[in-house]
Amino acid sequence: MYSKILSRFTGIMFPSVLAIALLAQPYSAEASPIEIVKIKSLTTSSSLKIISHSRTVLLRGRARKGTEIALRLRGSSKGKFRVKTDRRGRFEQRIKLTPGMSNLELRPISRLKRPMAITIAYMPMQHTRSFNGSPTERLKSFERLFPDSLSYAADLPARAAATELSQSMAELEGRESFSNRISLGLVFFGQFVDHDLDRIQTTSGQGPSVNPLAPLNIRTPALDLDSVYGAGPESSPILFSDDGLHFKLGKDGKDLLRDSSGKALIGDDRNDENGFIAAVHLSFQRYHNHLIDEMLHGGDANALTPEQKTMLFNGVKNQIIARYQGIVANQMSIAFSGRAIPDNLPPLTNIPIEFAGAVYRLGHTLVPQRVRIDQSGTSFSPVDPKLRGDASVIDLKLLFGNNAQPAAGFDDKIAQAMRELLIPLSPTDPGQGSAVGGNSPNIGGGKIIDGVLHLDLIETNLLRGRELKLASGEECFARIHNLSYQPAVHGNTDLFAYVLRESNRFGHLGEVGSNVFERTIGGILAADPYSYFNGGIFSESEIKQFRQFTMEQMLRELGDL
């Protein structure tokens, strides 16, 4: 039977051939094709490389009656086995493999009268996400959790001017508060997550939305790290080394890869807006390279076949994305909303615009006026241009771990730095400089200081929410509880401002903010066929590991903490 399967895939009959099949369990011929690897002749011994992502595999072979062979695994997996064919010329052996690359050495014990051809067949990974890791493609409309808002009726009194409201939310000098539960690193990790999930299509930069009533998301609405992996080694080769397995890095591996002008060559240019998010992005690239090297177990990547390289790359990518999702749904979510994301929330087809346009702009209140970048205490404004264009200037020990500096207080007061943001024309091209003369198409007016535009990011958030016709905070609350809502009676506060006011009581998101936050993160994970809690892909022990995984653990593995 099995020799017929081999013949089907190779077109060769094996009348006196030792055929060994390495099959991932459970086996389903319909789910994935068998991969064939051939050793044309075996005299005394031979070996070949195996890429495994399975836990237990079934080794099956067929040869002449009484043939005996010794098997030895070296590399990622280790073990010795001796097998002998039965009277029908078959043998079967279960073996345990550690994910990664191993050498399988074969040595015939029975005397061979002539060289014997050997075929080893094994199942490639059945579950690997594409580089468009979302059921929904780019450039699709955002969802609305609270459509048909009553907050913009023509007869309602006008809301306070966004500039005045921004001033009322300004942190007073000497009154800055700090969070006792959120590290500064998680704030910039949160920004990194935002760039992975969504990007509102605008005319340019911080300018008006192209279609405010049905805005388009120009990113894939999934926690799939497409901002890091781009379109993969084949379609985005500039991101990867010649072996097609490792990310290219810049400046001794301590900075992002850059071109001659200093522009970062990465999957999303926003991940070089400041040195902090650049350091987070770089950490995920380095972690990918680290796991690839672990899987290779000292072996030569160039000795692998193209198919084996694809298996290895995809297996590592799956693991990294699952760990990343675990951080988002647990460590980050507990910090921002007070609890982990449940696994049973309804799936979403895209990111809710209430999340992208208001709630997830929570990070703006968590950025302090000054941040330390090294152990000697050197500090800068977080928006200082000196921190742009070089991830190596950031000491990760000051962002994560026991000695991390805290985030600013989770409340409705925002540091002055966020109200005087210098918006570069190109976040990854220092040669473009900052927007000069006020000609950059920003939705907020900002102000000119010494010929340079300083954009009030809080004013921009408020104006963006109004442009997108986001329901007010009071209306969201009423609809969550199935209550009637009258703007003139119950209030008509901008959702961004309302969510931050809610947080004053808790030090994290309140009821409305948590509702939008959890429904968004939980919804896109529920819609993800490769989510970190999918028991059809990952084992129970792996899922437990993903839930407990933290940024600190990743950085410890990299030797940064």
Side-chain angles (χ1 to χ4, degrees), residues 192 195 227 256 266 268-274 277-278 281:
F192 173 81
H195 295 174
S227 57
L256 302 172
I266 52 178
D268 189 317
D269 59 357
R270 296 174 297 171
N271 284 355
D272 195 34
E273 285 179 348
N274 58 70
I277 191 173
H281 186 108

Side-chain angles (χ1 to χ4, degrees), residues 333-469:
S333 295
I334 290 170
F336 289 172
S337 71
R339 67 172 188 162
I341 299 294
D343 295 346
N344 58 351
L345 295 175
L348 295 175
T349 58
N350 212 319
I351 304 300
I353 193 60
E354 295 88 349
F355 177 89
V359 172
Y360 204 58
R361 300 187 179 219
L362 59 85
H364 297 158
T365 191
L366 296 174
V367 177
Q369 182 67 19
R370 304 284 294 183
V371 292
R372 288 181 291 124
I373 66 167
D374 58 36
Q375 296 294 336
S376 64
T378 305
S379 68
F380 287 92
S381 163
V383 298
D384 194 307
K386 297 186 184 69
L387 298 181
R388 187 182 299 142
D390 188 356
S392 68
V393 302
I394 306 301
D395 186 343
L396 289 167
K397 294 185 182 69
L398 296 175
L399 297 184
F400 299 96
N402 295 331
N403 298 316
Q405 54 195 311
F410 205 139
D411 52 32
D412 65 347
K413 297 301 179 184
I414 298 172
Q416 187 65 21
M418 292 290 96
R419 301 182 61 247
E420 294 184 356
L421 188 65
L422 278 67
I423 302 293
L425 294 178
S426 172
T428 58
D429 189 351
Q432 291 284 344
S434 297
V436 176
N439 295 320
S440 181
N442 297 299
I443 191 171
K447 57 183 178 180
I448 309 299
I449 300 176
D450 297 329
V452 177
L453 177 67
H454 292 237
L455 187 67
D456 184 342
L457 194 56
I458 309 313
E459 176 196 28
T460 298
N461 290 343
L462 296 165
L463 291 175
R464 179 77 71 204
R466 296 175 186 183
E467 176 203 46
L468 297 170
K469 296 293 189 288

